[in-house]
């Protein structure tokens, strides 16, 4: 870059900062008028400048920004290999598909069983179904909303090969039990960490327990790239299988700007594959029936800036969650707030509220009251996934009656705790909840 180019860039970044301050900086909150969002993008001019910088370079497809993000994210998680993808759903799809790759000696085969829970996000379960594997559904615990580990033994069969867990709403699953169960029965473990980036169990980061973990960078999550996701694994064969599946199924695993690392082949024109002419360009040899699930380098540039903010975001999420919990405790006879394991450090995605049994409060009535007052609410994702139209006729196994999953589907919802909410938003939420109970003659 010439001196002129650099000084032009400097001028552009200065203008971006000014633009951010004029048009994006925190807007005034007007109680009752402004929306209290359940989630949202939290950023400043640094994300905007990083993205513009990537646009000015005009590389566009995955390159330097991706390499930097993957390096920083791997360091943060303490996991060796990161693969950036275009969504958390894509990360889930690749996680399961890579376990079927013949690059793995003990790969999964069609018809093998994968234990998961029925209270789930759709694309976590879809990934199992789309790969011709059989999901085996167990119930969740009412207090943590997470997979009920006491049902794992009943779910086990000769065909069980993997467990796919979700750390629901940022609350860590019982990793002690799950890790020892998967070890004892030689199962693969996939962790869906899309809602729980930064959470820990026994001091260890979520996503570092399993063979593979997945992340989403949709704006609702702990950091964002607009759209985006990642897959993390310590297993080099899984990483290479996922890389190939992400990139059209191609054989070559040399990465951008990398020469000898990760055993890059560095041998584009000197390889021999069965049925192919000698020296056929390795970049045009396909070893998987793949996809194209790549994001843009511009997204990675944003992710790099967001990752720097993650520790602050996590602190703010925890503070907001604890504030609501303390302020709403008075209504615990009617409403249930989630519990966590002693060893768990949640990275709260949201503040779940469940109407208690025999309470005369109706979830729909309460939820709609909050929405009418401009407090956004959301459901616990798909609820009981088997009740969703697309999943009625899937091949699956169900353990027990899923009564907690159904209870949550009928009685729970959530509101936000994301870092875009300050005390003014939280005080407003608390006041509106108090008003609701006051109107019912409960104070
Ligand atoms: C638990 C969970 N898994 C997977 C996903 C899918 O992520 P994406 O929206 O990036 O596809 C989500 C999305 O919110 C999620 O909450």
């Amino acid at each position: 870059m010439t001196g002129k180019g650099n000084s032009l860039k400097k001028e552009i970044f200065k203008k971006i900062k000014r633009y951010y301050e004029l048009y994006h900086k925190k807007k005034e909150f007007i109680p009752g008028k402004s929306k209290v969002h359940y989630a949202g993008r939290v950023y400043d001019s640094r994300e905007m400048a990083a993205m513009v910088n990537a646009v000015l370079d005009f590389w566009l497809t995955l390159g330097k920004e991706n390499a930097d993000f993957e390096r920083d994210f791997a360091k943060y998680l303490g996991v060796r290999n990161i693969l950036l993808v275009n969504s958390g759903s894509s990360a889930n799809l690749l996680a399961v598909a890579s376990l079927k790759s013949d690059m793995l000696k003990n790969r999964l085969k069609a018809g093998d069983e994968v234990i998961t829970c029925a209270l789930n996000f759709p694309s976590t379960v879809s990934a199992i179904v789309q790969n011709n594997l059989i999901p085996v559904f167990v119930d969740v615990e009412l207090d943590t909303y997470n997979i009920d580990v006491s049902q794992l033994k009943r779910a086990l069969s000769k065909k069980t090969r993997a467990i796919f867990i979700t750390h629901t709403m940022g609350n860590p699953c019982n990793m002690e039990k799950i890790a020892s169960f998967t070890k004892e029965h030689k199962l693969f473990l996939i962790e869906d960490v899309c809602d729980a980036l930064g959470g820990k169990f026994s001091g260890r980061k979520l996503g570092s327990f399993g063979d593979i973990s997945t992340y989403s960078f949709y704006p609702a999550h702990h950091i964002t790239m607009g759209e985006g996701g990642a897959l993390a694994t310590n297993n080099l064969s899984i990483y290479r299988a996922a890389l190939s599946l992400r990139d059209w199924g191609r054989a070559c695993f040399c990465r951008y700007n990398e020469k000898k690392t990760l055993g890059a082949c560095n041998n584009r024109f000197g390889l021999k594959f069965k049925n192919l002419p000698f020296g056929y360009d390795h970049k045009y040899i396909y070893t998987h029936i793949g996809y194209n699930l790549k994001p843009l380098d511009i997204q990675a540039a944003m992710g790099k800036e967001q990752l720097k903010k993650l520790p602050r975001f996590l602190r703010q999420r925890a503070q907001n969650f604890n504030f609501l919990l303390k302020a709403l405790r008075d209504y615990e006879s009617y409403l249930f707030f989630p519990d966590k394991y002693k060893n768990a450090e949640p990275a709260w995605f949201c503040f779940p509220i469940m109407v208690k049994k025999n309470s005369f409060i109706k979830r729909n009535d309460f939820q709609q009251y909050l929405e009418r007052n401009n407090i956004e609410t959301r459901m616990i994702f798909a609820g009981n996934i088997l009740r969703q139209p697309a999943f009625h006729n899937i091949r699956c196994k169900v353990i027990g009656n899923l009564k907690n999953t159904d209870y949550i589907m009928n009685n729970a919802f959530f509101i936000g705790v994301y870092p875009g909410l300050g005390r003014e938003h939280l005080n407003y939420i608390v006041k509106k909840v108090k008003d609701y109970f006051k109107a019912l003659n409960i104070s």
Side-chain angles (χ1 to χ4, degrees), residues 268-293:
R268 272 179 70 184
F269 300 105
L271 298 169
K272 172 70 189 129
F273 279 74
K274 192 177 163 194
N275 291 340
L276 284 175
F278 173 79
Y280 201 76
D281 186 348
H282 199 201
K283 277 183 183 294
Y284 288 84
I285 293 175
Y286 302 96
T287 44
H288 292 91
I289 306 289
Y291 308 91
N292 176 357
L293 303 174

Side-chain angles (χ1 to χ4, degrees), residues 87-90 92 121 123-124 166 192 194-195 216-218 221 227-228 381:
S87 72
S89 303
S90 299
N92 283 343
F121 194 81
S123 57
T124 313
T166 301
D192 180 330
C194 290
D195 292 343
S216 165
F217 305 129
Y218 184 73
H221 292 116
E227 295 280 1
F381 308 117

Side-chain angles (χ1 to χ4, degrees), residues 272-333:
K272 172 70 189 129
F273 279 74
K274 192 177 163 194
N275 291 340
L276 284 175
F278 173 79
Y280 201 76
D281 186 348
H282 199 201
K283 277 183 183 294
Y284 288 84
I285 293 175
Y286 302 96
T287 44
H288 292 91
I289 306 289
Y291 308 91
N292 176 357
L293 303 174
K294 295 191 287 318
L296 295 172
D297 221 32
I298 303 161
Q299 290 163 270
M302 178 179 183
K304 252 167 70 182
E305 291 303 318
Q306 286 270 295
L307 194 55
K308 291 180 200 160
K309 295 187 168 89
L310 181 58
R312 169 164 66 84
F313 287 169
L314 289 168
R315 274 196 307 279
Q316 286 171 315
R317 282 178 176 272
Q319 277 162 10
N320 288 351
F321 184 93
N322 291 333
F323 181 92
L324 287 176
L325 190 62
K326 194 162 166 226
L328 300 179
R329 276 247 146 95
D330 290 349
Y331 305 106
E332 268 187 329
S333 313

Side-chain angles (χ1 to χ4, degrees), residues 148-354:
D148 180 353
V149 289
S150 72
Q151 295 196 351
L152 290 179
K153 229 183 185 141
R154 272 176 70 200
L156 194 72
S157 84
K158 279 196 187 110
K159 294 203 133 205
T160 313
R161 296 295 318 282
I163 303 186
F164 197 165
I165 55 163
T166 301
H167 300 288
T168 312
M169 295 177 289
N171 200 8
C173 294
N174 186 340
M175 292 319 296
E176 196 181 311
K177 288 266 163 62
I178 293 168
S180 74
F181 188 84
T182 48
K183 197 164 166 210
E184 185 187 344
H185 299 286
K186 298 190 174 53
L187 307 175
F188 286 108
L189 174 61
I190 309 175
E191 292 175 75
D192 180 330
V193 194
C194 290
D195 292 343
L197 174 58
K200 291 182 185 163
F201 195 92
S202 295
R204 202 167 137 190
K205 290 234 172 73
L206 301 181
S208 64
F209 290 85
D211 298 282
I212 313 177
S213 54
T214 62
Y215 304 83
S216 165
F217 305 129
Y218 184 73
H221 292 116
H222 297 59
I223 61 170
T224 185
M225 294 183 186
E227 295 280 1
L231 177 152
T233 179
N234 280 319
N235 181 318
L236 193 55
S237 301
I238 291 176
Y239 166 76
R240 284 184 180 158
L243 178 70
S244 170
L245 285 156
R246 184 196 68 175
D247 296 358
W248 311 282
R250 81 169 162 204
C252 184
F253 43 76
C254 293
R255 298 202 302 186
Y256 173 84
N257 238 359
E258 266 184 13
K259 290 274 166 352
K260 289 272 182 264
T261 53
L262 289 175
C265 66
N266 279 317
N267 194 2
R268 272 179 70 184
F269 300 105
L271 298 169
K272 172 70 189 129
F273 279 74
K274 192 177 163 194
N275 291 340
L276 284 175
F278 173 79
Y280 201 76
D281 186 348
H282 199 201
K283 277 183 183 294
Y284 288 84
I285 293 175
Y286 302 96
T287 44
H288 292 91
I289 306 289
Y291 308 91
N292 176 357
L293 303 174
K294 295 191 287 318
L296 295 172
D297 221 32
I298 303 161
Q299 290 163 270
M302 178 179 183
K304 252 167 70 182
E305 291 303 318
Q306 286 270 295
L307 194 55
K308 291 180 200 160
K309 295 187 168 89
L310 181 58
R312 169 164 66 84
F313 287 169
L314 289 168
R315 274 196 307 279
Q316 286 171 315
R317 282 178 176 272
Q319 277 162 10
N320 288 351
F321 184 93
N322 291 333
F323 181 92
L324 287 176
L325 190 62
K326 194 162 166 226
L328 300 179
R329 276 247 146 95
D330 290 349
Y331 305 106
E332 268 187 329
S333 313
Y334 309 95
L335 304 177
F336 175 82
F337 307 117
D339 209 350
K340 67 171 189 74
Y341 285 103
K342 201 162 84 285
N343 297 346
E345 273 176 64
W348 289 110
F349 171 70
C350 60
F351 189 80
I353 298 175
M354 184 157 51

Side-chain angles (χ1 to χ4, degrees), residues 340-439:
K340 67 171 189 74
Y341 285 103
K342 201 162 84 285
N343 297 346
E345 273 176 64
W348 289 110
F349 171 70
C350 60
F351 189 80
I353 298 175
M354 184 157 51
V355 172
K356 279 193 167 170
K357 267 181 203 147
N358 307 325
S359 142
F360 51 88
I361 310 248
K362 295 272 167 289
R363 190 267 309 273
N364 273 3
D365 183 61
F366 185 38
Q367 191 176 359
Q368 282 177 43
Y369 161 84
L370 294 174
E371 290 277 353
R372 272 198 306 281
N373 284 283
N374 271 330
I375 299 168
E376 268 188 354
T377 66
R378 290 289 184 271
M379 311 313 283
I380 314 298
F381 308 117
N384 181 345
I385 191 86
L386 289 167
R387 295 192 182 279
Q388 294 286 350
F391 292 82
H392 283 172
N393 296 317
I394 59 167
R395 268 181 78 201
C396 68
K397 281 184 167 177
V398 180
I399 306 303
N401 57 11
L402 306 179
K403 77 175 188 328
N404 291 345
T405 303
D406 276 335
Y407 191 82
I408 290 168
M409 188 169 203
N410 288 317
N411 295 288
F413 67 96
F414 68 77
I415 57 175
V417 293
Y418 82 108
L421 300 183
R423 271 303 138 85
E424 65 279 26
H425 304 95
L426 301 182
N427 283 330
Y428 174 73
I429 295 174
V430 172
K431 179 179 178 320
K432 283 293 145 191
V433 173
K434 284 193 169 157
D435 289 350
Y436 182 80
F437 280 92
K438 232 185 252 158

